[in-house]
Amino acid sequence: MLRLGVLALGATDVERAAAFWGAALGYRLREGVLGGWGTVLSSADGSGISIALQRSESEPEARPRLHLDLHVADAAEQEAEVARLVGLGAQRVDWDSYPDEPDFVVLADTEGNLFCIVDVSLSAAE
C-alpha cells in the first residue's frame, strides 16, 4: 500500500528555506539522509509529514497546482500566525482569486513557494 513519504519543496537557498520552515512549523533538521534527501525537516515527535528541501533554480509557479494548506482553529489564530510567519520572512501574496468571504490567506515562503493559512472554523460552520 502506498503512503505519503515526504513533501519536497524547491529552494534556491536551502539553508534559508530550512530555517523558515523549521521555525514556522516547529520542525527540526533530521540527522542523516532520508531516501537520498540531504535536507529533511520533521516534527520533534516524528508525527506528520516531513519536508524535504532540494536545490532548484527554477522560479516558483504563480498559480501552483500543488501547495500547502496550514490549518488554524479560528480567525484570531489565523491573524496571529500570518503575522508570525511574515515576521519569519514570509510575504503576503496579492491574490486576485479570493472569494467574497475567504477562509484562507495566501502567503509565499522565503523562496516564493505559495501556501495558505486556513481558518477551519469557517468551513466547520457550513
Side-chain angles (χ1 to χ4, degrees):
M1 173 172 32
L2 290 176
R3 64 183 180 88
L4 196 54
V6 299
L7 173 69
L9 288 177
T12 55
D13 186 335
V14 171
E15 293 76 25
R16 178 177 65 188
F20 173 80
W21 285 109
L25 298 173
Y27 277 25
R28 60 184 169 82
L29 191 58
R30 188 169 179 163
E31 297 299 324
V33 177
L34 173 68
W37 296 102
T39 305
V40 177
L41 299 167
S42 299
S43 65
D45 66 3
S47 66
I49 187 138
S50 295
I51 297 176
L53 298 164
Q54 64 183 5
R55 193 159 313 281
S56 174
E57 298 302 324
S58 62
E59 292 293 319
E61 296 176 62
R63 295 204 175 266
R65 295 180 68 170
L66 177 67
H67 67 272
L68 295 173
D69 275 358
L70 305 177
H71 292 178
V72 294
D74 55 37
E77 186 180 9
Q78 183 183 52
E79 183 178 330
E81 285 298 329
V82 167
R84 184 179 73 85
L85 294 168
V86 167
L88 291 173
Q91 293 183 3
R92 285 182 170 268
V93 173
D94 185 20
W95 194 249
D96 62 0
S97 298
Y98 279 118
D100 289 337
E101 295 182 35
D103 62 349
F104 64 97
V105 175
V106 181
L107 299 176
D109 71 4
T110 56
E111 297 297 311
N113 296 307
L114 300 183
F115 64 99
C116 297
I117 307 301
V118 181
D119 172 359
V120 296
S121 70
L122 295 176
S123 60
E126 293 175 1

